[in-house]
Amino acid sequence: MTKAGNNSIDHLGIEDLLCFSLYSANHAMNRVYKPLLDKFGLTYPQYLALLVLWQEDNQTVGQMGERLFLESNTLTPLLKRLETNGYVSRKRDPEDERQVRISLTKSGKSLKKETGSISVCIFEAASMDETAITRLKNQISSLRDNLAQSAT
Amino acid sequence: MTKAGNNSIDHLGIEDLLCFSLYSANHAMNRVYKPLLDKFGLTYPQYLALLVLWQEDNQTVGQMGERLFLESNTLTPLLKRLETNGYVSRKRDPEDERQVRISLTKSGKSLKKETGSISVCIFEAASMDETAITRLKNQISSLRDNLAQSAT
DNA sequence: TGCGATTTAATCGCGCACGATATATTTAAG
DNA sequence: CTTAAATATATCGTGCGCGATTAAATCGCA
């Protein structure tokens, strides 16, 4: 029995669940990012999409979706908002008109440097040393891969 | 330099970010839960809310919010849906009419046993041994607490 | 060549998360 | 006792995330 003696194996409190730690930590992360991204008129998922484009420009919606684990029903509206805000352009690929290529505008590219300090803020907010962060990241990523595997 | 040699310290790929591991793992967890919860007409956040009530019945909206790290703007509509589905009742506390007490209905209570097998499915999907899960959960929870601390 | 199957995005509806705001109740100060 | 401040919940608008569906382009194969 744990602490108060009222948590048997099948009566786990929410604070004892891995899923809830993930859920709440992800929201906490979002709350740290929000004020930092507000300055640029970006949401957290929009920022992630830009990170993907800063790695490799001119990707298709599908390629971005693979990297972000998202599909067009989520990405299309998000990318349209980034387009409206002038950070990306969306063009049908002339080679294959089914695909839409997303490319960074000048303003989208310059955002990479302007947002550079954000990662430092997150690192400080995490209050963990770099090797611990890397280890934790790897464990969470492999948990994700296990979960995704099982959802096949 | 890492693998392809194009990831310097300030050009981290999205897969190298702790925040993205959290983001994507949380979504992966959601995707495992969804088919299991669909059987009961529950969403994942609704299930978390019920877990909190199964631990302690008859809580106020505020108390539930503290445990879930959510506020009334999120919880009120969610709890109304649980009420519509017959799992909880919502009543103003006669001692303090500002507060609303959420209590489990008979059907909400019986759901606890009916959903009991879900945690086993999640455990299997995670494909990690129990001590590793516990350690990971504790690390993620303390990361969450650090982040929440800094967002003060 | 023609035509069904596959692939790629887009669209729609619903529920969550949250900032901002509103409403109602209780508390506290004078 | 009255009224301002504090507290608790609810409401509203926006942007995700996703299941289900639709539309258009391409592919495969007879």
Side-chain angles (χ1 to χ4, degrees):
Chain A
M1 291 214 186
T2 62
K3 17 181 173 167
N6 56 351
N7 281 341
S8 64
I9 184 97
D10 52 340
H11 290 181
L12 285 172
I14 195 165
E15 67 277 4
D16 297 319
L17 297 176
L18 176 62
C19 68
F20 180 69
S21 70
L22 270 179
Y23 171 88
S24 53
N26 181 52
H27 285 157
M29 185 66 83
N30 210 322
R31 286 165 194 148
V32 175
Y33 266 108
K34 178 146 298 198
L36 303 171
L37 292 172
D38 275 350
K39 296 183 178 64
F40 304 98
L42 289 175
T43 66
Y44 181 48
Q46 285 169 13
Y47 175 68
L48 295 179
L50 286 176
L51 280 170
V52 163
L53 287 170
W54 291 332
Q55 266 189 280
E56 182 185 337
D57 201 354
N58 203 41
Q59 295 185 64
T60 67
V61 174
Q63 287 172 328
M64 294 186 66
E66 272 182 50
R67 284 157 176 72
L68 293 166
F69 301 95
L70 294 173
E71 296 179 21
S72 69
N73 50 6
T74 298
L75 273 178
T76 297
L78 183 155
L79 293 170
K80 282 187 169 182
R81 281 173 215 117
L82 284 178
E83 185 183 40
T84 300
N85 293 341
Y87 295 134
V88 306
S89 71
R90 303 165 56 251
K91 294 193 206 65
R92 290 271 163 195
D93 186 336
E95 304 282 303
D96 182 344
E97 292 270 348
R98 289 173 302 184
Q99 303 186 138
V100 169
R101 295 257 164 211
I102 311 297
S103 25
L104 292 160
T105 61
K106 179 161 276 199
S107 143
K109 282 174 190 160
S110 67
L111 215 51
K112 178 173 182 172
K113 291 176 198 78
E114 297 173 44
T115 55
S117 63
I118 289 183
S119 52
V120 180
C121 300
I122 300 301
F123 175 74
E124 285 169 2
S127 310
M128 295 171 61
D129 68 87
E130 205 159 343
T131 67
I133 287 186
T134 301
R135 259 190 304 115
L136 184 53
K137 179 211 63 180
N138 287 334
Q139 291 176 64
I140 297 173
S141 295
S142 76
L143 169 64
R144 175 199 61 217
D145 296 339
N146 290 346
L147 293 170
Q149 176 71 24
S150 93
T152 307
Chain B
M1 291 219 186
T2 62
K3 14 181 172 163
N6 55 352
N7 281 340
S8 65
I9 184 95
D10 52 339
H11 289 179
L12 285 172
I14 197 167
E15 68 277 4
D16 297 319
L17 296 176
L18 175 62
C19 68
F20 180 69
S21 69
L22 270 179
Y23 171 89
S24 54
N26 182 52
H27 285 158
M29 184 66 82
N30 211 320
R31 285 165 195 150
V32 175
Y33 267 108
K34 177 147 299 195
L36 303 171
L37 292 172
D38 275 350
K39 297 182 178 64
F40 304 98
L42 289 174
T43 66
Y44 181 48
Q46 286 169 13
Y47 175 68
L48 296 179
L50 286 175
L51 281 171
V52 163
L53 287 170
W54 291 332
Q55 266 188 281
E56 182 185 337
D57 201 355
N58 204 40
Q59 296 186 62
T60 67
V61 174
Q63 288 173 327
M64 295 185 67
E66 273 183 50
R67 286 158 176 71
L68 293 165
F69 301 96
L70 293 174
E71 295 179 22
S72 70
N73 50 5
T74 299
L75 274 178
T76 296
L78 183 154
L79 294 170
K80 282 186 170 183
R81 280 171 216 120
L82 285 178
E83 185 183 39
T84 300
N85 294 340
Y87 294 135
V88 306
S89 71
R90 302 166 55 251
K91 296 193 206 63
R92 290 272 162 194
D93 187 336
E95 304 280 304
D96 182 344
E97 292 271 348
R98 288 172 303 184
Q99 303 186 140
V100 170
R101 294 257 165 210
I102 311 297
S103 24
L104 291 160
T105 62
K106 178 161 278 200
S107 141
K109 282 173 191 162
S110 67
L111 215 52
K112 179 173 182 172
K113 290 176 199 76
E114 298 173 43
T115 56
S117 62
I118 290 182
S119 52
V120 179
C121 300
I122 300 301
F123 175 74
E124 286 169 2
S127 310
M128 296 172 60
D129 69 88
E130 206 160 343
T131 65
I133 287 186
T134 302
R135 258 190 304 115
L136 183 53
K137 178 210 65 180
N138 287 334
Q139 291 176 66
I140 297 173
S141 295
S142 77
L143 169 63
R144 175 199 60 216
D145 296 339
N146 290 346
L147 293 170
Q149 176 70 24
S150 93
T152 305

